[in-house]
Amino acid sequence: MKTLLKVAYVAFALCACSRQSTLPNAPPVSIGGSSPKAPARAQNAQRLFVSDAGNAEVYLYDVPSLKLVTILQGFARPQGECSNGKSEVFVTDGSANVVEELSYAGRREHQLSDSYGSPGGCAFDPGTENLAVFNYLGTQSKGGAVLVYHHASGSPNIYTNSKQFFYSFGGYDSSGNLYFDGSNAQGKFVLSELPANGGNAHSLAISAGTIYSAGMVQWDAASGYLDVGDQNCANTHASCIYQLKLSGKHAAIAGKITLESDGGAPVCDLVQGVIADGRLFGSDDDDCGSSPSATYGWKYPSGGAPEEVNKRNDAMPIGAAIAVNSAPRPDLNAKKLDLLYIVAGSTVSVYTYWQKTMVGKLSGFTSPQGECVDKENDVYITDSGSEDVVEYAHAGKKPLRTIDDSPYAPYGCASDPTTGNLAVANESGGPHGEGSITVFPTGGGKPTVYTDSTLETFSACAYDNKGNLLTVNGDAESRDAYFAWLPKGGKRLVDVTVPGPQKSYSWRDVTGLQWDGRYYVIDDYDLYRVSIANGLGYYIGATGTEEEDVYGAYALYNADPKKQATQYVGTSNDGKYSSVYFFNYPAGGDPVTYLANVSPSALAVSLGTVHE
């Protein structure tokens, strides 16, 4: 059974299978703590959020297929979850003492602090829009409590039941009454009610059976039952769901839902499940050793063998909640959405930036190397193998045009926001093997070629918002990387010294160069911000990450070019586990999410009209 264990001075939810204990998981509430709808198929798109306390991650799955959409990071110890019945999910973080509000796409929308103890579960009342948070324990290992945040904000009102010490999960019924479980100081199960009309919380006497270990709590309006999970059903290493008939201060067990893994064994430890549209979704931890951890979808209320399964083998799955896309896009209209273009091998995959859904793949390249985007959000892809640059409209499937760059081998590129001119950084191809900066004027015409004997080769370039171009020879192997400057209207490249984070700093492994809305950004393992004025370079600051292997292709996300970028996307080149990570910018630190099993050589972001 997952229970709240003490780590440092903070208590968390852990699992319950071979060890009996109590846990703090959010109420399994698909409609945010309220009852699930009658078992009819949902018309809006839905996503299942599963928190993994062991990996400090939250997984987003499409429902009902349980196809993994994305992985969210940056948590300390994510625990229980609940939904507001719309497109937001609340995740309690017992180690950080906060509750995170996440959007349908996984963005952090809001954060509530909890200085009263260790938050483990939550429930949302759609009638009042109040958020109840269940602190498994209070500060200094005192008894827990229920914290009710008015309209899910501000400071909470605090409620306790004198008969209850540990507080685990909860859920609201259709009338706004709050039910929550846990145990007394000796570990005996307790089910409590906080009436909607106020007053004190009180215990409910359970008859017709025994519940041993606190689990999910969710009201089922269709049946009129309160569904309560038991992580040690019948005092065994198996989880089940009891259906309770409520009457006053009494709760009689009227039904029992048994659950099986895909191998037919009893589910060992379902900490929190969530009911929605005739399904019960949740994850089974592997504490019993009968099968690896997996996430399942069972028929509700029949249970039994699962209908859907995803065998991710999470470290310690805890919470479960479902977000509903209240404004669904039936065809996922990529033309309206922000897009991420990923060059990998000889193809370019196109993903929606926020939803992390692949919506297209561009092919026909020989050796694509770099990408850039113009002010119209057209995307340019440099192809060193065919010595050309291919332009695509935002979400376009066929090229708008192909720009002949022969005899040069194009690598990087940049679009001038003031003129629309396209600068191409060529690594080689000149009469003596040197590269060039070739500027193609907007609307066509003869390009202008710039060379520099100091740089010799060119791997990347970037325009600022005034039309000044900075370029670099990149990863220079046995010698330092050098920079050159082409001021707006300039006739030649001018070598420029760009200072680094320390005196006498040598740039050696520059793999990218971009403009973030305020400063140039140099990728040399970390991201370094610099400014160029009147041919002089100035060091501004750095953005580091907690991921050691993030190096190489990167892109900045900036929905408002007049302001500084707010996210950056980087590459983790870790063999077969290569991924694309998403970080807050310029803060850096831990990634907020990532796309797994992707190994790009270039990245670019093209904006749509809907930035979500």
Side-chain angles (χ1 to χ4, degrees):
M1 172 186 84
K2 293 213 187 243
T3 184
L4 304 178
L5 295 186
K6 204 169 180 183
V7 178
Y9 64 93
V10 183
F12 305 101
L14 275 190
C15 182
C17 236
S18 48
R19 329 170 271 275
Q20 181 163 349
S21 35
T22 6
L23 60 49
N25 265 68
V29 200
S30 67
I31 311 263
S34 64
S35 62
K37 302 295 183 183
R41 267 300 156 201
Q43 297 302 310
N44 293 337
Q46 297 183 339
R47 280 184 179 166
L48 172 68
F49 286 57
V50 172
S51 60
D52 186 339
N55 288 330
E57 297 174 332
V58 173
Y59 311 121
L60 274 62
Y61 299 94
D62 276 337
V63 171
S65 68
L66 294 184
K67 177 183 178 181
L68 182 66
V69 176
T70 189
I71 300 172
L72 311 181
Q73 296 185 317
F75 303 92
R77 190 86 166 181
Q79 302 287 298
E81 302 176 353
C82 56
S83 165
N84 64 0
K86 300 176 184 177
S87 55
E88 286 77 35
V89 165
F90 298 91
V91 179
T92 63
D93 194 326
S95 185
N97 297 100
V98 298
V99 181
E100 300 277 8
E101 181 181 354
L102 307 177
S103 73
Y104 180 85
R107 285 188 294 177
R108 283 173 165 82
E109 302 287 347
H110 182 60
Q111 185 184 86
L112 285 172
S113 63
D114 180 355
S115 60
Y116 303 93
S118 304
C122 63
F124 187 88
D125 181 5
T128 63
E129 297 188 346
N130 292 342
L131 177 71
V133 175
F134 308 103
N135 281 355
Y136 185 72
L137 279 174
T139 57
Q140 299 179 340
S141 297
K142 295 179 181 178
V146 179
L147 281 56
V148 178
Y149 292 83
H150 183 64
H151 287 179
S153 62
S155 299
N157 293 322
I158 302 175
Y159 302 89
T160 60
N161 174 6
S162 60
K163 301 291 180 65
Q164 187 167 344
F165 190 84
F166 299 103
Y167 293 70
S168 297
F169 307 95
Y172 285 96
D173 68 10
S174 304
S175 301
N177 300 303
L178 177 63
Y179 301 94
F180 51 95
D181 63 9
S183 65
N184 61 19
Q186 291 72 43
K188 185 177 180 180
F189 179 83
V190 175
L191 179 65
S192 300
E193 177 187 8
L194 180 64
N197 57 6
N200 299 320
H202 57 258
S203 303
L204 298 179
I206 298 175
S207 61
T210 302
I211 300 177
Y212 288 90
S213 301
M216 63 172 281
V217 177
Q218 183 169 349
W219 177 254
D220 181 359
S223 67
Y225 291 137
L226 181 70
D227 290 331
V228 177
D230 186 346
Q231 294 185 66
N232 289 111
C233 191
N235 204 21
T236 65
H237 300 321
S239 296
C240 65
I241 311 297
Y242 289 110
Q243 297 174 297
L244 305 184
K245 185 67 174 178
L246 305 181
S247 177
K249 295 184 179 181
H250 297 272
I253 296 178
K256 176 182 175 182
I257 302 172
T258 58
L259 305 171
E260 298 176 359
S261 68
D262 62 322
V267 164
C268 170
D269 196 5
L270 173 70
V271 182
Q272 182 184 5
V274 57
I275 302 164
D277 302 305
R279 284 288 194 275
L280 168 65
F281 294 98
S283 299
D284 179 22
D285 193 32
D286 63 354
D287 278 352
C288 302
S290 57
S291 60
S293 296
T295 298
Y296 295 109
W298 297 274
K299 285 184 178 181
Y300 175 83
S302 57
E307 296 287 308
E308 296 87 18
V309 61
N310 186 301
K311 297 183 179 181
R312 273 192 48 78
N313 195 15
D314 308 330
M316 190 181 293
I318 298 282
I322 286 181
V324 179
N325 188 358
S326 55
R329 306 176 182 91
D331 58 351
L332 196 63
N333 190 346
K335 293 182 179 179
K336 296 182 179 180
L337 303 179
D338 299 333
L339 300 177
L340 177 64
Y341 286 72
I342 300 177
V343 175
S346 60
T347 62
V348 179
S349 298
V350 185
Y351 288 81
T352 55
Y353 184 90
W354 293 108
Q355 294 80 10
K356 314 294 186 298
T357 301
M358 183 185 288
V359 292
K361 181 171 284 190
L362 309 177
S363 59
F365 305 99
T366 302
S367 182
Q369 298 294 331
E371 300 176 288
C372 59
V373 180
D374 65 16
K375 62 183 179 180
E376 303 299 327
N377 284 292
D378 291 347
V379 178
Y380 299 82
I381 300 166
T382 62
D383 191 336
S384 64
S386 57
E387 300 178 346
D388 57 30
V389 182
V390 185
E391 179 185 3
Y392 287 86
H394 176 84
K397 298 180 180 179
K398 296 182 179 180
L400 292 176
R401 61 171 174 157
T402 299
I403 302 170
D404 183 11
D405 191 37
S406 61
Y408 291 102
Y411 267 63
C413 63
S415 177
D416 185 346
T418 65
T419 64
N421 292 345
L422 180 71
V424 178
N426 295 308
E427 187 190 49
S428 60
H432 304 289
E434 76 279 6
S436 72
I437 290 292
T438 302
V439 178
F440 294 88
T442 183
K446 185 177 180 180
T448 303
V449 178
Y450 302 87
T451 59
D452 186 294
S453 59
T454 302
L455 275 68
E456 294 183 354
T457 64
F458 300 83
S459 65
C461 57
Y463 280 103
D464 66 12
N465 57 350
K466 297 180 180 179
N468 304 301
L469 183 75
L470 182 65
T471 184
V472 66
N473 59 344
D475 191 345
E477 297 181 357
S478 61
R479 63 192 187 95
D480 293 343
Y482 295 99
F483 298 86
W485 172 253
L486 181 64
K488 183 177 177 62
K491 302 299 181 182
R492 65 183 180 89
L493 290 170
V494 178
D495 293 346
V496 58
T497 300
V498 177
Q502 298 94 29
K503 288 184 178 181
S504 303
Y505 185 84
S506 296
W507 301 98
R508 301 281 298 185
D509 297 297
V510 176
T511 58
L513 183 62
Q514 294 195 34
W515 175 254
D516 75 356
R518 291 183 183 176
Y519 307 109
Y520 290 105
V521 181
I522 301 170
D523 184 3
D524 191 344
Y525 285 99
D526 287 336
L527 300 187
Y528 298 95
R529 296 182 295 283
V530 301
S531 177
I532 310 293
N534 300 319
L536 297 176
Y538 301 89
Y539 178 77
I540 304 299
T543 295
T545 76
E546 297 299 326
E547 294 291 331
E548 296 180 357
D549 298 318
V550 174
Y551 171 72
Y554 82 107
L556 296 171
Y557 177 86
N558 192 351
D560 186 352
K562 295 181 180 179
K563 298 180 180 179
Q564 192 174 30
T566 56
Q567 281 198 345
Y568 88 89
V569 188
T571 305
S572 173
N573 292 305
D574 186 17
K576 65 179 181 179
Y577 300 110
S578 295
S579 302
V580 173
Y581 285 90
F582 294 70
F583 299 88
N584 288 323
Y585 180 85
D590 290 315
V592 294
T593 183
Y594 66 88
L595 278 171
N597 302 318
V598 183
S599 184
S601 57
L603 297 165
V605 175
S606 175
L607 298 175
T609 58
V610 179
H611 308 308
E612 61 179 28

